[in-house]
Amino acid sequence: MSDQTNAAPEAPAPASINTSPKQPAGVSLVTACIIAALFSAFSGAASWHFASQNAGGTLVATVDAARLARLKMKTTLDQPGVTNEQATAEAKAFVQQLDKALEAYSNEGILVLNSGAAMNKPAANDITANVAANMGIKLQN
């Protein structure tokens, strides 16, 4: 017997063996974290920008228009010899004067409510004294 019969057949040699590690498919964790951080920073900056555009909201003030009207009419009617026509003319002038006094607040973007319509009236929001001073009305306690 010959030695060739006991020998195992040789396996064909592969054409090329790739020994480099496989590259992972998709996006790496570091890349995903960087992208998430950038989107988070952008959305935070955008939120701050838009929130700061209307930070204070609408300012609100109250005025006791009925009190001002009573004081003005009392002053008018206390004058001797006042006729109904003069009192009516004074009342019309008061309304125009009040509108003019409140126009400055409108131009500043301040909403002015009649204090009789307000459910609560913080003292800091009451502008009755300022409006009375602008109109030449003396407030009495």
Side-chain angles (χ1 to χ4, degrees), residues 16-17 21 24 26 50-51 58 60 62 70 74 79 83 91 96 112 125 140:
S16 66
I17 299 176
F50 290 118
T58 302
V60 178
T62 60
R70 275 193 315 272
K74 183 179 180 322
Q79 295 174 2
T83 64
Q96 291 174 346
V112 180
N125 292 22
Q140 302 167 353

Side-chain angles (χ1 to χ4, degrees), residues 25-111:
V27 179
S28 72
L29 179 62
V30 173
T31 304
C33 289
I34 291 172
I35 291 171
L38 289 174
F39 277 117
S40 177
F42 174 76
S43 67
S47 297
W48 176 81
H49 172 73
F50 290 118
S52 66
Q53 294 295 317
N54 195 15
T58 302
L59 299 175
V60 178
T62 60
V63 66
D64 192 350
R67 180 179 178 197
L68 294 176
R70 275 193 315 272
L71 292 172
K72 182 65 174 171
M73 286 290 86
K74 183 179 180 322
T75 304
T76 300
L77 295 176
D78 284 348
Q79 295 174 2
V82 174
T83 64
N84 285 340
E85 292 80 22
Q86 289 173 329
T88 303
E90 285 286 326
K92 288 180 182 179
F94 168 78
V95 170
Q96 291 174 346
Q97 196 176 10
L98 180 61
D99 285 343
K100 185 176 178 182
L102 296 179
E103 186 177 325
Y105 293 96
S106 296
N107 293 340
E108 293 291 323
I110 300 171
L111 175 66

